[in-house]
Amino acid sequence: MQLDLRTPMGLMFAITGAILVAWGLKTNGDAIYAKSLGINANLWWGIVLLVFGLIMFILGERRQHKLADEPPEPIDESAPRRGHGH
Amino acid sequence: MQLTFVDWLIMLLYFVFVLGIGFALKRYMKTSKDFFQAGRALPAWICGLAFISANLGAQEVIGMGASGAKYGLETCHFYGIGAIPAMVFVGIFMMPFYYGSKARSVPEFLRLRFDEKTRALNACSFAVMTVFSSGISMYAMARLIQALHVFDGLFHALGWAPEGIFTFSIILSAIIVLLYIFLGGLTSAIYNEVLQFFLIIAGFLPLVLLGLKNLGGWHGLTAAVSAVDPRMMHEWKGVLHPSTNPMGIEIIGIGMGLGFVLGSGYWCTDFLVIQTAMASKNMDSARRVPLIAAVPKMIFPFLVILPGLIAISLPTPHTTTTVTQQNGAIIHNTQVVSQTAAEGRGIVPAKVNPVTGKAMLDASGKPLLDYDMATPNMLLHYFPTGILGLGLTALLASFMSGMAGNVTAFNTVFTYDLYQSYIHKGASDRHYLAVGRWATVGGILLSICTAYAAISFNNIMDTLQLVFSFVNAPLFATFLLGMFWKRTTGHAAFTGLITGTVAAMLHHGLTLPLEAVPGIHGGWLGVTHRYSSDMAQNFYGAIWAFSSNFVLTIIISLFTKPKPESELVGLVRSLTPKPETSHLTWWKRPEALGVAVLLGAVALNIFFA
């Protein structure tokens, strides 16, 4: 499979994280954080997701580039193929 | 609930990526193998995370939270006993036959090992069950969206009638799931299951952390839960007798019924999960898939059961009036709490009778609690707008990937085991690819019908799940004998399966949990035995179904003619060369991973004991 899932997934989490960070900075100190015990949950969790997303994205991109350079991995088809009757 | 544009933005972003992945995968879907089996080319970690996510539908997420609120840590048995050992077993011992036989589905494996009629029985019952399950998932999602008022603001802004929210939720989820499976087949479903896996962690980890911080860490949680019911912080205490633990079960029912029969029946034979392992790139990977899945499975009790425990042990909200003086003026500030919330426990609301609008009471006059709201209410309680959108997206994602897993299992079994085998043999591969795509459309349409049927007939969900349990309970005995005893014959397997299902039905008809009236809970043939709880009844019903199938299959096998050994190579353990793992370093071998997982499970059980 040529599409490494980590690329789109990393992108999605990074963007989500960035949105949360921006929103968290804008609403910092607002009354909405009474719910989350006074912690700016958007800002802090946004940072976590942003970092996670970027790591995934970079790993996925590196793998895509490596795959483009190398021949595809051999897939195990050595076991005798049993008839399906058709 | 007050959602702002940030919440919508996060939800929208998820939908865009889900569909984007579907479109990106479309160009790789050239043969039916690409579509139905993901080309058998996915890495083990992706399949492993999908293996556990396929089971982690929203009913599981919400149900485990509900069970945590109701029974406490005893719920962990569903992980430590009901899942982990079976996952290790299927990886080490059964995957070599599933993957090595080159069967494209579990029913097809039954045809290779036994005969045509056993496959037909399994394929038909499985196809029907997947369609209904996906419909139930859809219905539950639409109901939750209604209960949480997710789309109310949107509907108000657009001037639409709020009655349309149910239909809107169903159509929206149906279109998205349909599109991404139609385009990307099993690969799309698996990729989205992995996405959902990480979303659940992203949505629920901060929830648990906030809840624990609120209660004062693990010790605070223990103290708060003990104030509700001290037995709830123990997984194993009082399991020797059903009257001394919250679930009303005991060790034989847990070990045999839940662990050996139900857990293995699900994790080792259900094509819904097995299909993800069969999509991996080689035998080593396929065997590692359930073992990789078992690692996060051990951590998930913290994410899905703890929210329920935290919800029940928080202070119950009451209507309060605070009086403050400002510049000489007296200000009354009244925080109104709904009657259902005030009569509930913690932030778990009381159940309301939809006709009278009053809280429902149990036999002893206490209000019945709506445990299914435990986890959703936790999200509303702790999450401010922004991260709330993330939590809701995680819930929506798990509903949709639960549907998607059922739909891909359905289209594969329908196309290969029903259409190709009985309706139209020997057509081109392109033809079957097209059939698979249209089977996806048909499966989703049938699911929508099921969801609407569930509105009109209140009991349809309970009844369906009951019937599924009758069909599934005896399955593991057939696979166990088929894979490990070469003498097992097709006639025996077929008769055994039917007998097992009949035994499960008879058991249900003849027994009843305490405090239940005959009917949907059992006893419709007359009550010969009363179990201490419906869970005990369920576990023992499974034991009866398994045992009668097991014994009868052996007896009939001895009187019927077995398949010649040459036809069973690759399908039965004694006639198949052991899978070669010596090329792997020792810690990469499935056996080593299996031992590590089991040790982890033991440690976890001791921690929760």
Side-chain angles (χ1 to χ4, degrees):
Chain A
M1 194 56 58
Q2 289 294 310
L3 177 73
D4 192 309
L5 174 62
R6 284 172 292 189
T7 310
M9 188 171 79
L11 204 60
M12 188 186 100
F13 276 102
I15 297 177
T16 308
I19 293 174
L20 285 180
V21 168
W23 180 243
L25 286 174
K26 185 175 172 286
T27 57
N28 200 15
D30 267 22
I32 56 168
Y33 295 112
K35 272 184 167 186
S36 52
L37 316 172
I39 300 167
N40 190 335
N42 289 328
L43 177 63
W44 291 111
W45 199 246
I47 292 174
V48 173
L49 294 187
L50 184 60
V51 171
F52 170 76
L54 286 178
I55 292 174
M56 279 282 161
F57 181 76
I58 291 165
L59 286 175
E61 281 291 285
R62 278 175 57 178
R63 172 104 188 121
Q64 303 268 54
H65 286 299
K66 237 168 117 185
L67 270 186
D69 299 339
E70 285 173 16
E73 260 183 80
I75 290 161
D76 179 24
E77 290 285 355
S78 54
R81 191 169 176 86
R82 298 189 51 86
H84 302 125
H86 310 291
Chain B
M1 168 168 26
Q2 284 168 341
L3 292 179
T4 58
F5 79 97
V6 192
D7 304 298
W8 293 111
L9 195 63
I10 292 173
M11 236 178 262
L12 196 67
L13 191 71
Y14 165 72
F15 291 140
V16 168
F17 270 90
V18 161
L19 294 180
I21 290 175
F23 277 103
L25 288 172
K26 185 173 176 271
R27 58 196 164 117
Y28 301 113
M29 297 296 126
K30 296 207 174 72
T31 65
S32 68
K33 189 179 171 185
D34 296 328
F35 187 77
F36 294 116
Q37 299 181 279
R40 277 200 163 193
L42 296 182
W45 73 269
I46 291 222
C47 297
L49 296 184
F51 191 90
I52 148 172
S53 296
N55 164 259
L56 198 72
Q59 277 129 315
E60 170 92 357
V61 174
I62 289 172
M64 283 297 145
S67 182
K70 195 172 179 183
Y71 303 114
L73 284 182
E74 207 175 354
T75 310
C76 296
H77 285 313
F78 287 98
Y79 289 75
I81 303 293
I84 309 283
M87 290 163 101
V88 173
F89 188 81
V90 70
I92 305 274
F93 294 107
M94 290 173 79
M95 204 47 77
F97 310 116
Y98 281 136
Y99 196 89
S101 70
K102 300 276 170 186
R104 297 166 300 179
S105 68
V106 166
E108 189 164 77
F109 174 83
L110 286 177
R111 192 192 71 78
L112 296 173
R113 173 61 187 88
F114 296 118
D115 52 16
E116 201 62 71
K117 61 178 178 298
T118 314
R119 183 248 286 263
L121 175 70
N122 186 252
C124 290
S125 58
F126 184 78
V128 172
M129 285 194 290
T130 46
V131 166
F132 281 138
S133 302
S134 139
I136 291 176
S137 202
M138 236 181 218
Y139 170 80
M141 176 172 94
R143 268 289 140 94
L144 186 75
I145 286 177
Q146 275 183 317
L148 293 180
H149 307 289
V150 177
F151 290 137
D152 287 26
L154 184 75
F155 267 58
H156 187 74
L158 293 171
W160 294 348
E163 290 77 39
I165 291 179
F166 187 87
T167 303
F168 179 75
S169 317
I170 290 208
I171 302 291
L172 181 74
S173 62
I175 289 177
I176 290 174
V177 170
L178 175 68
L179 266 178
Y180 78 69
I181 295 181
F182 195 88
L183 294 166
L186 180 63
T187 317
S188 219
I190 286 182
Y191 276 16
N192 279 297
E193 276 161 357
V194 177
L195 212 58
Q196 172 230 346
F197 171 86
F198 286 107
L199 267 172
I200 289 274
I201 297 182
F204 281 71
L205 187 58
L207 184 68
V208 172
L209 293 177
L210 283 171
L212 280 178
K213 184 170 164 54
N214 191 190
L215 290 171
W218 187 260
H219 287 286
L221 176 72
T222 311
V225 171
S226 300
V228 180
D229 181 348
R231 301 175 306 175
M232 283 173 71
M233 280 310 281
H234 297 282
E235 185 182 353
W236 284 101
K237 212 172 183 180
V239 287
L240 291 178
H241 195 275
S243 63
T244 50
N245 64 81
M247 276 186 187
I249 47 178
E250 36 62 65
I251 188 120
I252 297 173
I254 297 171
M256 265 298 284
L258 175 64
F260 191 67
V261 181
L262 289 173
S264 309
Y266 181 78
W267 294 102
C268 306
T269 72
D270 200 319
F271 186 52
L272 178 69
V273 289
I274 302 291
Q275 65 177 351
T276 61
M278 284 164 86
S280 59
K281 60 186 176 192
N282 55 38
M283 174 72 88
D284 295 327
S285 299
R287 294 182 72 202
R288 265 200 301 262
V289 164
L291 302 167
I292 291 173
V295 177
K297 187 80 185 164
M298 283 192 277
I299 302 160
F300 266 94
F302 290 99
L303 285 180
V304 297
I305 298 176
L306 282 192
L309 268 169
I310 296 169
I312 199 85
S313 54
L314 285 171
T316 312
H318 289 290
T319 301
T320 50
T321 307
T322 46
V323 184
T324 46
Q325 259 191 325
Q326 250 178 353
N327 304 332
I330 297 169
I331 296 167
H332 287 261
N333 191 1
T334 310
Q335 288 250 304
V336 182
V337 168
S338 69
Q339 186 203 358
T340 50
E343 285 183 10
R345 177 141 222 182
I347 55 171
V348 183
K351 249 188 190 158
V352 182
N353 185 326
V355 182
T356 63
K358 290 205 168 142
M360 288 157 77
L361 304 177
D362 67 1
S364 53
K366 282 190 206 146
L368 284 174
L369 297 183
D370 192 358
Y371 290 107
D372 282 344
M373 290 306 288
T375 301
N377 272 356
M378 280 287 285
L379 290 175
L380 300 184
H381 186 79
Y382 283 117
F383 280 177
T385 176
I387 197 168
L388 180 61
L390 180 67
L392 289 175
T393 307
L395 270 187
L396 287 187
S398 62
F399 271 116
M400 292 204 294
S401 85
M403 277 165 59
N406 275 303
V407 171
T408 52
F410 170 79
N411 69 24
T412 310
V413 168
F414 176 82
T415 307
Y416 283 151
D417 293 298
L418 298 174
Y419 186 81
Q420 191 181 38
S421 307
Y422 305 116
I423 299 172
H424 190 163
K425 283 184 193 183
S428 67
D429 190 67
R430 267 176 69 117
H431 178 73
Y432 292 124
L433 177 59
V435 169
R437 287 210 154 111
W438 290 108
T440 312
V441 178
I444 288 188
L445 287 178
L446 285 171
S447 308
I448 295 179
C449 297
T450 312
Y452 276 97
I455 313 179
S456 322
F457 307 101
N458 274 331
N459 275 337
I460 197 169
M461 282 173 46
D462 297 336
T463 315
L464 283 176
Q465 265 149 358
L466 188 65
V467 174
F468 297 172
S469 73
F470 295 157
V471 177
N472 286 331
L475 273 177
F476 185 55
T478 303
F479 284 84
L480 203 59
L481 285 169
M483 286 179 177
F484 298 94
W485 191 41
K486 61 182 179 186
R487 190 70 188 70
T488 321
T489 68
H491 293 310
F494 183 78
T495 329
L497 273 178
I498 290 181
T499 315
T501 299
V502 172
M505 284 165 68
L506 282 178
H507 175 270
H508 186 261
L510 289 169
T511 61
L512 195 63
L514 286 177
E515 294 178 8
V517 284
I520 181 98
H521 300 292
W524 33 271
L525 290 172
V527 182
T528 56
H529 181 78
R530 278 194 178 262
Y531 285 106
S532 48
S533 68
D534 52 349
M535 233 173 277
Q537 182 193 30
N538 183 14
F539 293 169
Y540 275 92
I543 296 177
W544 278 97
F546 176 91
S547 313
S548 44
N549 180 6
F550 194 80
V551 172
L552 201 77
T553 304
I554 292 179
I555 295 175
I556 298 182
S557 289
L558 293 173
F559 289 101
T560 43
K561 196 170 150 291
K563 268 194 167 182
E565 293 196 353
S566 59
E567 287 180 24
L568 294 178
V569 176
L571 301 167
V572 180
R573 188 168 166 83
S574 58
L575 302 172
T576 307
K578 283 221 176 86
E580 188 56 55
T581 55
S582 55
H583 59 285
L584 299 167
T585 42
W586 69 270
W587 53 271
K588 276 189 176 168
R589 289 180 199 167
E591 288 81 1
L593 201 55
V595 171
V597 165
L598 285 179
L599 287 177
V602 169
L604 205 69
N605 273 291
I606 294 173
F607 178 74
F608 283 137

